[in-house]
Amino acid sequence: MNRYKYHKPATGPALLISLILLVAGSAFGFEGQAYPQGGKQESIAASVPGSGSGSGYGYGSGSGYGSGSTDMTGSMMPDTLFTRELTKGVVHTRYFLSGPNIMDVVAVDLSSPWLHFETSRPETLTPTTEQALDADRPGNRVVAAVNGDFFSFETHRPIANQMVRGEFAHGVPVRNRYHFAVDAEGRPYLDALSFRGTLTLPDETTMSLQGINRTASGADIIAFNRFFGSRTPSGTGILEMVLVPEAPAERPGAGIEQPGGDGVGQPMRIQALHDGGGTSIPEDGYIIRVQDPDKAAAMASALETGDRIIIHAGFQTDHSGHSGLVDVMGGGVRILDDGQPYSGTNEARHPRTFVAMDRDTTTVYLCTVDGRQMMSIGMSYREMADVLLQLGAWHAVNLDGGGSTTLVVRNEVANSPSDPGGERRVANALMLVSTAPEGDTERLNIHPEDFALYPHESQPVTITAFDGFRNPVSVPDDLAWEFDHALGRLEDGVFTPGQTDTTGTITVESGEISATAGVRIHHYTSLTAEPEEFGMAPGERSTLTLYGHTADGVTRKIPLDRVRFEQPGEALYVSHDGTVFATDRGSGELDLDIGSAALSIPFRISGDAVTEVIHDFADEISGWATPVQTHRAQILGVDPNRSTLVLRNGTAVWSFVDDPDRDVDWDVRITRQLRQELGSQLYGSHVGAWVKADDDLEIRIVIRDGDGQLEAGPPVRLVPGQWQLIQTRLSDSRFEGYLNGDGRLTREGNQINGFRITASGKEQQGATVTLLMDRILASPYPLQEHNRPD
């Protein structure tokens, strides 16, 4: 007796929770125990701090973190994890400190003529990596970048001031917020900068300009430029003046009085006057917004288009001598001031981003400290200051930290951001840019530089090439690989390990240039499976999950397509995706092995066969192609425009109308468009359906096999007016080639595709034939004729 089981999609997603305890690839040099972004460290007991050098721009190689002292009251002397040159004059060093803490420092030698700092201000909150990529291009390579100023999650605007290549991106009269700035000569400054600005009207009257791209309601007169967006905010009772340069500028904003300068400012002309907000902002000009109603009314009556307005914009500073600033990035607390460390009361430890300079301002340091993680808890202002002093810094300012803390090196995140989702979107970024010209290839890099694999894993391997300035260049065509093939194989850029527990290297060469990566292949000492044995009825399915275990206690889930096994006979079939099919009654063992580890899983298939209802027309026919939706080459002899498909009393009803203009035999396809809903069918299963026709027809079941080709079973002649259970077995001997098929079915992945109907064109000339269809079924044994439809 058959048991019926309805095949339905899952009602909810499966939840897979995995703890990644071992990372393939030794970013810091000890057998894959890397410090992943936002990940967790399995163990650091065996690691010893040291130094190393990496040749590329991924995480680089070097020693592991080491256990380190956790006494925050003791010395903060850092241990060097690795050091690498990013370009001539720029060195990236990673340190391990007590805490524990991981600190990344990019030291920049300002004597290089090819290096300068820029700031980035995107239209909305954007990850630091994307801001760096947007600015990166030949001749203007972004070597490193950090997140910038504190910002508002509501307005998406920075808190303090910002200039981008001579233009004000944000101007606010803030107090006690320190900024990092560089002038046109590349000289760096750390100072408290507060926006100051004035407007000179045609009658020589001077009025205070209280900000650029501000949205504060307390300001009487503010300016907007292209960094704000396409339009000003809406508003009523205000005056907005559209200003364009009096003479063409070299770049938008060029000519505005620089901070601390005594120039005449930028002459502008009024292009238009608007009563209210929402004004379109010109690409090369400004909108002056007068928000005080009385001032707005007075200025509207006194000004007209064509009038000359002069804008003065700059900063009020704590020190003199800051002139010609071209890039300014706002920050917060000054944590080093002329060698004096921060002395405030804030002792909270968080992820941090900061920028520092040495005593004679010839070196700038871009720094991040990871936090809120097992391997790096974060630092306080005073702790950062103490470490910076030991590294040679003399001045430093804190930038936005916490989840914003991000260091990008050559367009890749180099630190471990603390937000659960990874890198945070931020308002702006501070970037180190190299303008060194592109040269010949001098260096190759294999990424990853070191990695560890288990026998079932694979590792994509990429090659990058660099010139003498470490600028990326095209990878040479004449690459040659060298490695011991006992390690594995390399095909199409993917390294697949062998079955041997071994260690070695892979080397790539181009002429006299080469790069080497370390490879460690682990092995399993034992295997376990869930379930430990199978007890099933014919026609049932189950899922096999295999685990490998190493001598040091590591457990990994192993995909079955990486395991050696043979099918145990006709009673059980195991797909390489882990699906187990009971195909016949019987018992035995399923033997699996990977490397030297092996496992035998007993099984017993017994009891009543399960008949699976893989489609029921009880309440829907959506997903089935109507005659008019079917390709004309697959619906011969009938008129598709007059033929129909409807659902009637839980039964699908096709009405086929003969085409009088086409004197050919009928050859009609009934197809399922949503093929995935009909499920995979095992080779050897019986499939069928209940059908009834009111005329003489032949019908075949059509299968889409696991290779994607279509196969049709043998024809079944229908008895007019009677319900019939048509069925066929999925076997090579019972199927013929159909369309471009060759008559063979794969062992797995077969699906019901639909049906093929044929009839004599002469006998059906002018006729309308109705075909009814009910449940589509599958079973390992021949289907039984019971539960016939009414």
Side-chain angles (χ1 to χ4, degrees), residues 24 46 120 141 145 175 216 225 244 274 294 337 413 459 478 545 568 592 601 607 616 640 660 760 762:
S120 168
R141 293 297 185 186
R175 296 288 184 181
N225 64 13
V244 295
H274 293 286
D294 294 335
D337 189 355
V413 176
Q459 173 65 55
D478 61 341
T545 304
L592 310 99
I601 304 174
D616 194 336
S760 169
K762 291 183 179 180

Side-chain angles (χ1 to χ4, degrees), residues 117-153:
F117 287 94
E118 295 182 7
T119 69
S120 168
R121 177 70 180 102
E123 293 183 2
T124 186
L125 299 183
T126 304
T128 306
T129 47
E130 293 185 20
Q131 297 186 48
L133 281 169
D134 286 344
D136 187 73
R137 59 187 180 275
N140 195 83
R141 293 297 185 186
V142 178
V143 177
V146 293
N147 62 290
D149 193 6
F150 299 82
F151 61 93
S152 166
F153 279 107

